[in-house]
């Protein structure tokens, strides 16, 4: 896959010290009630890195949401960085940053799902954790789970 994809224009190498966190709040998700609650993200991060030793890359479709999440994660003791890649092609940069992170906290989007699948493939067998929301939104999409991914049952309605 790496040869076929050429590891993409945004591929700057794997970052095993990073957990990418995808916050999806697009109007369509908000209208359907599929925006995930903060408790999901907290539970996923605590499961992947309970000692808060790794850096967080917050990535999302709305700047205000990403900034608020970054502030909240910093307040909780995480080191937060911008993943980089420039603003010329934010969707492409977001995809490759999600794919190259050593671990990933997914939203309920197929965009994030594809980045996780491509990132797993490009990891070449290296340990890589991907947390996904359970239930997936919409709940009929549970077939998207892949072996080795961490189901995070957040036990609450979406925000």
């Amino acid at each position: 896959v790496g040869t076929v994809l050429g590891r993409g224009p945004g591929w700057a190498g794997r970052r095993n010290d990073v957990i990418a966190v995808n916050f999806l709040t697009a109007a369509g998700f908000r209208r359907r009630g599929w925006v995930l609650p903060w408790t999901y993200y907290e539970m996923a991060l605590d499961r992947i890195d309970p000692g808060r030793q790794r850096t967080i890359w917050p990535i999302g479709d709305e700047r205000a949401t990403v900034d608020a999440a970054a502030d909240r994660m910093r307040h909780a003791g995480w080191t937060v960085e911008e993943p980089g890649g420039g603003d010329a092609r934010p969707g492409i940069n977001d995809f490759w940053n999600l794919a190259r992170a050593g671990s990933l906290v997914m939203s309920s989007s197929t965009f994030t799902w594809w980045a996780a699948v491509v990132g797993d493939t490009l990891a070449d067998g290296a340990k890589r954790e991907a947390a996904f929301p359970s239930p997936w939104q919409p709940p009929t999409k549970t077939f998207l789970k892949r072996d080795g991914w961490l189901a995070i049952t957040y036990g609450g309605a979406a925000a």
Side-chain angles (χ1 to χ4, degrees):
V1 169
T3 303
V4 173
L5 296 175
R7 293 214 164 135
W11 186 263
R14 167 112 12 243
R15 286 285 307 271
N16 290 324
D17 62 322
V18 166
I19 303 169
V21 182
N22 186 231
F23 299 92
L24 189 66
T25 55
F29 270 56
R30 194 174 289 116
R31 187 174 50 253
R32 291 176 180 90
W34 296 345
V35 175
L36 295 165
W38 178 250
T39 54
Y40 160 72
Y41 294 104
E42 287 177 321
M43 292 169 69
L45 287 168
D46 284 341
R47 179 119 173 246
I48 291 173
D49 186 22
R52 291 172 166 66
Q53 299 299 307
R54 297 167 66 193
T55 299
I56 306 296
W57 282 349
I59 298 171
D61 60 332
E62 292 179 357
R63 185 80 242 164
T65 300
V66 170
D67 289 345
D71 288 344
R72 193 164 183 164
M73 288 183 287
R74 280 186 194 98
H75 183 73
W78 296 96
T79 299
V80 179
E81 292 178 0
E82 287 290 322
D87 292 324
R89 298 181 305 174
I92 297 295
N93 292 332
D94 288 351
F95 180 88
W96 286 109
N97 284 323
L98 292 167
R100 74 188 187 104
S103 296
L104 173 62
V105 177
M106 301 167 64
S107 65
S108 290
S109 77
T110 53
F111 177 83
T112 308
W113 183 87
W114 277 111
V117 169
V118 169
D120 286 354
T121 302
L122 295 176
D124 297 324
K127 183 178 188 257
R128 183 169 192 267
E129 295 171 303
F132 70 95
S134 179
W136 191 276
Q137 299 294 332
T140 57
K141 302 275 179 141
T142 55
F143 66 89
L144 295 173
K145 179 195 180 299
R146 294 176 50 99
D147 289 340
W149 284 4
L150 306 169
I152 305 299
T153 304
Y154 55 91

